[in-house]
């Protein structure tokens, strides 16, 4: 083996070691216990990712997706109750490199039975998302909101019920939801009530 090949191999081994010491699965937390919800997909958060790193996410030995994002929702992946293993495989290293991180977690049954959600609700959500009607067509006072109208209706009901003095919106894109919340909050605290 030539000097350059040995140096390249040493670099790959060092890179694999450095990845395995930094990138790690943060959520679900190692050895945690999550309650099974029949509609909620698995969310994976990878901590200490470096810019440009991408990982294959493997659940119980089955490769699910490749991500370059710290937060990934595994759409359609709803693990059944029981023990599970999540593995991160660095895609920027040779396939012979060890896994970047391996983490185990439990899914437990809920304490009481959850109501079944009717199929038409799922179909509506799929239609809403897949037609991308939410991108530009849902507006409040002419400003794009990216919110389901039914969610906005529910928000205003909650706000009128609890009448908070302060509402903090974390993150905004176009400002439609902010305008909506400002309008609702002004009505919640209208002096005529």
């Amino acid at each position: 083996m030539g000097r350059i090949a040995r140096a390249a191999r040493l670099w790959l081994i060092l890179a694999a070691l450095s990845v395995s010491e930094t990138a790690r699965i943060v959520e679900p937390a190692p050895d945690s216990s999550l309650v099974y919800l029949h509609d909620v997909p698995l969310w994976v958060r990878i901590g200490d990712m470096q810019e440009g790193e991408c990982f294959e996410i493997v659940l119980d030995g089955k490769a699910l997706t490749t991500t370059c994002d710290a937060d990934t929702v595994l759409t359609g992946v709803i693990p059944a109750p029981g023990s599970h293993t999540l593995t991160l495989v660095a895609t920027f290293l040779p396939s012979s490199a060890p896994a970047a991180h391996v983490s185990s977690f439990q899914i437990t049954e809920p304490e009481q039975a959850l109501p079944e959600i009717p199929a038409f609700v799922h179909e509506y959500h799929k239609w809403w998302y897949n037609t991308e009607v939410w991108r530009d067509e849902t507006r409040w006072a002419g400003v794009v909101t990216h919110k389901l109208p039914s969610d906005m209706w529910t928000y205003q009901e909650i706000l009128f019920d609890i009448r908070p003095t302060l509402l903090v919106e974390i993150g905004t894109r176009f400002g439609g939801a902010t305008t909506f919340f400002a309008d609702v909050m002004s009505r919640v605290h209208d002096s005529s009530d």
Side-chain angles (χ1 to χ4, degrees):
M1 185 183 295
R3 197 169 62 182
I4 294 175
R6 276 194 302 269
R9 184 177 171 142
L10 179 61
W11 180 86
L12 287 173
I13 291 170
L14 290 174
L17 289 173
S18 68
V19 166
S20 65
E21 291 175 359
T22 58
R24 65 196 190 332
I25 298 167
V26 179
E27 290 292 338
D31 301 318
S32 64
S33 183
L34 308 173
V35 175
Y36 172 77
L37 300 173
H38 57 80
D39 270 21
V40 180
L42 186 61
W43 164 61
V44 176
R45 171 168 279 172
I46 303 170
D48 301 323
M49 278 180 75
Q50 304 301 313
E51 188 173 332
E53 289 183 340
C54 296
F55 295 91
E56 183 176 44
I57 298 175
V58 179
L59 177 65
D60 298 331
K62 180 181 176 192
L64 300 176
T65 190
T66 298
T67 184
C68 302
D69 298 320
D71 288 299
T72 302
V73 175
L74 300 172
T75 307
V77 177
I78 304 169
S83 296
H84 298 281
T85 302
L86 269 174
T87 306
L88 291 182
V89 178
T91 60
F92 51 92
L93 296 176
S95 58
S96 60
H101 188 82
V102 178
S103 179
S104 297
F105 65 97
Q106 287 274 53
I107 300 285
T108 61
E109 292 283 350
E111 290 182 16
Q112 51 182 290
L114 299 172
E116 277 298 314
I117 296 176
F120 72 86
V121 172
H122 294 295
E123 293 306 313
Y124 173 72
H125 288 140
K126 286 179 196 172
W127 169 83
W128 175 263
Y129 184 79
N130 292 333
T131 60
E132 297 187 354
V133 70
W134 53 272
R135 282 203 184 267
D136 297 316
E137 296 179 31
T138 306
R139 299 170 180 269
W140 182 264
V143 184
V144 175
T145 65
H146 285 195
K147 301 272 189 232
L148 277 164
S150 56
D151 288 350
M152 294 170 74
W153 184 277
T154 303
Y155 296 150
Q156 65 82 26
E157 285 187 357
I158 292 168
L159 292 171
F160 271 89
D161 283 349
I162 64 174
R163 298 187 179 275
T165 56
L166 177 67
L167 176 71
V168 178
E169 181 184 18
I170 307 295
T172 189
R173 180 139 192 196
F174 300 109
T178 303
T179 305
F180 167 78
F181 287 125
D183 287 351
V184 171
M185 288 295 285
S186 69
R187 287 178 175 84
V188 164
H189 296 289
D190 188 353
S191 60
S192 65
D193 284 346

